[in-house]
Amino acid sequence: MADLTAFEQTCEGLEQLTELSRLEARGTLRIALKEAGLDPASVKAAELSVVARMVLPNELTARGIADAESICERLRGKLAGIQDSARAETPEAVFARLGGS
Amino acid sequence: MELLVVGSILLCALVGTLVGLKLLSIAASSRKFPEFAIGAGLFAYAAVGQPAVLAHQALGEETSLGLRMGIVLLRVLAFYVTLLGLSLFTWQVFGAESRWRHALAAGLAVTALIPAGLSVWTTWLQLSANAPVPLYGRIGMTPHFVLTFGWVSLESLRYHTLMRKRSVLGLADPVVTNRFLVWGAGEGVSSLVVLALFVALMTRGGISIGDPLVSLFVTLAGLVNALVWWLSFTPPKAYLRWVRGSAAAGASDG
């Protein structure tokens, strides 16, 4: 579990909490991340938590999943305990430094 | 018109030099490569390349061959460092592990050495033996700059679209989001201006600073570059307030 990224752990949670298959859960989360402008390979747990609050409920509802809000709330609870692993520097971190902000 | 051209080049050189120095000082404290690459590239272009262009134009026939060739060498070297800095910066920032970006940066850096060398060689022949400079000598690294500026622009604008989506969710700083837009748009304009100069070079067999169209392009490029560097890397507080205010207004409207 410790080696799984925040994205993979959320996919597993989504699979367990809904009737979505593994592929469907991953696909749904990928679509939600794309809508939020985030990359599954580098997304952080805190960012996923925001996506689970603001984007994912609509995606689940669109797929006919009942009680999407409550499922997403439980996913957020799981995300709160995830430690992000160190990863390569992001473009926004570099651009923030370049402007001195 | 010539005064306007020289004025815009001087403004571009002044702003670029100051911004380049600031980026190099950020690199000195952060010890990170991206700020060093872009700082060195900007400084070389503005503090060495642009003044060398003006100096070369201003020198008369009576100036010694050694001095004129020294200035030409300095100009070509400065522009090569700029190209190298921008390519390495873009590769490192937008995908250091991406193979195609690595190949593109390496390809630009290696292949630019050929026109850079030819440019120096043909200028040497012109100045020492009064031989006409062939078209390939005049073209120099122009196509490389079109490609590099275009690449920088596309990467930054693509990332800006991602940052805008994140901004809506409160996951991105509006100032940094805006920085991707300004930098990407500015480099896009630079790419188009250099492309226009390249087309003029190919269709007219040469370009002169006295040509009104060329003057317009060079002036435009100088002013756009100065504005983009200033707003991107040393933004005034009023501009930052405006960006944050616009983002907040957009968020409350949405």
Side-chain angles (χ1 to χ4, degrees), chain B residues 149-159 184:
Chain B
F149 288 148
W151 178 30
V152 175
S153 172
L154 288 176
E155 292 274 21
S156 299
L157 293 177
R158 181 191 67 83
Y159 211 83

Side-chain angles (χ1 to χ4, degrees), chain A residues 71-87:
Chain A
I71 291 169
C72 289
E73 199 52 47
R74 288 173 71 184
L75 284 175
R76 293 184 68 210
K78 289 182 181 220
L79 281 164
I82 295 176
Q83 284 277 334
D84 288 309
S85 52
R87 52 190 186 135

Side-chain angles (χ1 to χ4, degrees), chain A residues 36-100:
Chain A
L38 294 162
D39 178 9
S42 60
V43 65
K44 289 190 256 182
E47 291 167 336
L48 263 170
S49 182
V50 173
V51 171
R53 179 164 53 90
M54 299 176 77
V55 185
L56 195 56
N58 287 341
E59 293 298 329
L60 293 180
T61 305
R63 282 158 185 74
I65 294 168
D67 210 11
E69 293 281 351
S70 151
I71 291 169
C72 289
E73 199 52 47
R74 288 173 71 184
L75 284 175
R76 293 184 68 210
K78 289 182 181 220
L79 281 164
I82 295 176
Q83 284 277 334
D84 288 309
S85 52
R87 52 190 186 135
E89 191 168 47
T90 59
E92 58 268 32
V94 177
F95 269 66
R97 282 203 308 273
L98 294 179

